[in-house]
Amino acid sequence: MASNYLDFEKPLVELEAKIQELRNFMEMKDIDLTDEIERLKSRTTTLREEIFSQLEPWQVLQIARHPERPVTLDYINLICDDFIELHGDRQFGDDKALIGGIGTIGRMPVTIIGHQKGKTTKDNIERNFGMAHPEGYRKALRLMKQAEKFNRPIVALINTPGAYPGLGAEERGQAEAIAKNMMEMAGIDVPIIVVILGEGGSGGALGIGVGDKVMMLEYTYYSVCSPEACAAILWKDAKEAKAAAKALKITANDLLELGIIDTIVSEPPGGAHKDYNLSAQLLKEEIMKEIEFLQTLSKEELLDNRYNKFRKMGQVKEKVGEIVEK
Amino acid sequence: MLKDFFGKSKYVTVERKSRSRRDKDRIKSNKEENKREMPDDLWTKCKRCKEIIFNKKLSEHLKVCPSCGHHFRLTATERISLLVDDQWFEEYDEELEADNPLDFPKYDSKINKYQKKTGLKDAVVTGIAKISGHKVSLAALDSRFLMGSMNSVVGEKLTLAIERAIEKQLPLIIVAGGGGGARMYEGMFSLMQMAKTSAALKRLDKAGGLFISILTDPTYGGISASFASLGDINIAEPGAKIGFAGPRVIKQTINRDLPEGFQTAEFLLEHGMIDKVVKRSDLKNVLAKILSIHDLRGEDNGE
Ligand SMILES: [Zn+2]
């Protein structure tokens, strides 16, 4: 269990090891150490809360990329009982890095699309590490248009380091595929919920990221570029990635404050990978709540609100008191 | 409070009349400035064929190499003066400038530096223009300004230009040219300009408005993956480098050399991503033809 811990989790891992040690000792020597164990357990809980309440952006990013973190299909299978995956963009192929399908959440029919990462190396190679090609974005658009036809809300689950930078991706119009999705998502007249599950990597994330409510799980990031790339370009040193992660303002808290996202979805203590069921449950509740609200709006209100939400984003300086020429 | 910052003042478009005189002067003075920036006052070496070209001759040839046809990059003001009738251009929203919303290290000084260097407030110039008698909402990016990257100012000005096209029922022409994509210094604010401009283009589309996207060297990342790819008609200049990911990133990822001509305008034409590759000297004529065929009449187009 302790094999995949992050450096800032070390004190917790040590405490847990100590608890295990006491348990073994108790069994072997038949002495009652329950009180001591309970004391250490409660210290672990307090310490975990303390550590996780003051994570640096760089540490959040490590959790977002944690190899044991639940991936999109884990969430889908825990949120929906009856998910049916649908394949292909009808033009070129089926992208395994961006999946989609239909199912019900509660008793509500939905279309779900999302980037799919793997957990093992083999799985990750098959999933291209969650980096989609144009056919992935076009499949997502096909399924979203289908959702619109059948008046089904859409849930878009984002978890990608970015769209794939390769020859085929360029030949088949990666830029156009992403641009088209954003344009069309602005006009699809059913509720669209967007959730950052792990990595929100730039245009590759935003390609399925235009919606009525944008949520981030607690320990995720959403960024214009990877902090590593930013550091390499601006500081000419990838080792400055920690500083870049901070400067770019990529955490859920920062982005909520900047008005880029609407909601932060809590994760279980220690991160989503510590308790898949609880994490999925917390997400399911948020999704259902938001969809129920959005369904009370007329289609015009829904689209106007969505437009205005993105229309407002940005910050520019205007000279106060400047005399305007008539 | 942040909410106040997003107040409606950001939406206000300052309407001005008869500014063409001043703009004419500005276009002229910027032209002279650009000349001074050339490697030498008198001549320039062609990047492609290495020919030495006198600047006067290069200007006469619309900054296209007379020997090999290489299209040099144009500044926003050069582009506008190339396209519009007798300098008929009314600039809008020129007062908008960057605000360093993330307090990003060194961003303010970068902005200052490029403002001085280019004479522009940021990487795009927008306004209303006449092209062969057709009134249009026109925008031109300037790749000299932080690589023509998109920040809040660029996104806002483009969105206002799109909304102006909808409101006044004018065709929209955006000349893209930016290798920088979404500008890092403004973080997610920059990324969201991709969604903002694309959403505005959806409104134009629904309203039946015409959008001609002109892709020039270089068009990458957040620029190509948003408004620049969304034209009803996409036109590119010969040899322009256009793509999603930069060639260096792709090379690192796939670990082999890129094929010759990869990510050029001709490559995109071959792969069905653009409608036409048009030489700079033909650009205005082609635009005039397209505008005539659509013959969109704005509210006061019939003057
Ligand atoms: Zn030449």
Side-chain angles (χ1 to χ4, degrees), chain B residues 46 48-49 51 65 67-70:
Chain B
C46 175
R48 199 208 275 164
C49 72
E51 188 94 0
C65 174
S67 347
C68 76
H70 172 67

Side-chain angles (χ1 to χ4, degrees), chain A residues 31-169:
Chain A
I31 329 167
D32 185 15
L33 294 169
T34 323
D35 286 355
E36 178 64 7
I37 288 173
E38 282 310 310
R39 203 180 58 77
L40 283 179
K41 268 187 175 173
S42 98
R43 222 175 99 199
T44 313
T45 308
T46 321
L47 186 63
R48 177 175 290 123
E49 273 167 21
E50 208 176 286
I51 290 173
F52 277 78
S53 67
Q54 43 197 327
L55 292 173
E56 289 289 317
W58 179 250
Q59 295 170 325
V60 172
L61 186 128
Q62 302 307 309
I63 305 175
R65 290 175 178 167
H66 199 290
E68 286 161 13
R69 197 173 170 81
V71 292
T72 298
L73 273 172
D74 292 324
Y75 280 107
I76 290 176
N77 290 325
L78 288 166
I79 287 170
C80 281
D81 302 321
D82 50 1
F83 182 69
I84 301 173
E85 189 176 344
L86 302 172
H87 295 271
D89 69 344
R90 301 290 190 273
Q91 294 174 63
F92 178 81
D94 184 45
D95 191 341
K96 292 183 174 62
L98 212 174
I99 57 148
I102 52 176
T104 54
I105 297 181
R107 291 171 64 191
M108 186 166 48
V110 291
T111 288
I112 308 181
I113 54 171
H115 304 97
Q116 176 68 13
K117 284 190 186 180
K119 280 194 202 132
T120 62
T121 307
K122 186 174 163 274
D123 199 12
N124 250 322
I125 287 166
E126 189 188 320
R127 298 294 183 178
N128 202 29
F129 298 85
M131 293 184 283
H133 278 75
E135 48 273 23
Y137 292 101
R138 290 178 185 135
K139 169 170 67 179
L141 183 58
R142 178 177 76 83
L143 296 178
M144 288 191 282
K145 289 279 187 188
Q146 187 188 77
E148 186 179 37
K149 175 179 173 185
F150 296 107
N151 207 21
R152 276 195 296 266
I154 296 163
V155 179
L157 303 173
I158 291 174
N159 189 12
T160 180
Y164 188 64
L167 295 182

Side-chain angles (χ1 to χ4, degrees), chain B residues 43-274:
Chain B
W43 54 268
T44 302
K45 191 174 178 181
C46 175
K47 210 171 76 178
R48 199 208 275 164
C49 72
K50 315 289 178 213
E51 188 94 0
I52 306 285
I53 315 153
F54 278 101
N55 285 344
K56 193 165 168 279
K57 195 172 178 190
L58 191 58
S59 284
E60 283 164 11
H61 282 80
L62 311 173
K63 281 195 164 178
V64 175
C65 174
S67 347
C68 76
H70 172 67
H71 283 53
F72 287 75
R73 292 175 188 175
L74 293 185
T75 68
T77 37
E78 284 170 339
R79 175 67 63 182
I80 289 164
S81 60
L82 172 85
L83 292 179
V84 307
D85 300 345
D86 188 29
Q87 307 294 7
W88 204 107
F89 181 70
E90 210 178 315
E91 187 173 356
Y92 278 68
D93 311 310
E94 64 173 306
E95 70 283 358
L96 298 186
E97 59 181 317
D99 196 30
N100 198 0
L102 307 186
D103 279 323
F104 205 98
K106 295 181 194 155
Y107 184 38
D108 295 300
S109 63
K110 280 242 151 61
I111 289 287
N112 269 327
K113 184 179 133 192
Y114 284 98
Q115 285 182 341
K116 285 207 183 90
K117 191 180 159 190
T118 62
L120 303 172
K121 285 266 167 38
D122 216 297
V124 72
V125 177
T126 58
I128 296 211
K130 243 184 201 177
I131 297 178
S132 301
H134 299 270
K135 223 171 176 185
V136 299
S137 176
L138 177 67
L141 274 86
D142 197 309
S143 65
R144 293 171 307 161
F145 201 106
L146 277 161
M147 297 201 295
S149 53
M150 181 152 63
N151 65 337
S152 299
V153 175
V154 174
E156 181 65 22
K157 286 175 80 169
L158 287 174
T159 305
L160 288 166
I162 297 164
E163 289 174 340
R164 212 148 38 232
I166 299 169
E167 188 196 324
K168 297 181 185 289
Q169 297 180 36
L170 297 173
L172 171 74
I173 299 177
I174 301 178
V175 187
R183 192 179 298 170
M184 273 183 279
Y185 303 93
E186 292 186 29
M188 286 296 287
F189 280 127
S190 294
L191 194 75
M192 288 303 152
Q193 305 309 311
M194 294 167 64
K196 185 162 117 181
T197 52
S198 303
L201 286 171
K202 182 70 203 175
R203 290 211 153 174
L204 177 68
D205 186 54
K206 273 190 187 167
L210 169 68
F211 171 32
I212 305 170
S213 176
I214 301 170
L215 297 93
T216 70
D217 185 62
T219 299
Y220 276 94
I223 308 282
S224 65
S226 63
F227 62 88
S229 292
L230 295 173
D232 294 297
I233 296 174
N234 294 335
I235 292 173
E237 282 199 329
K241 297 284 266 173
I242 303 157
F244 174 68
R248 223 185 45 210
V249 174
I250 298 173
K251 215 175 139 179
Q252 270 169 15
T253 307
I254 64 171
N255 206 13
R256 62 186 151 109
D257 286 331
L258 304 176
E260 188 147 341
F262 183 64
Q263 290 187 328
T264 57
E266 295 74 15
F267 172 92
L268 266 81
L269 183 70
E270 175 92 23
H271 287 93
M273 292 303 143
I274 54 173

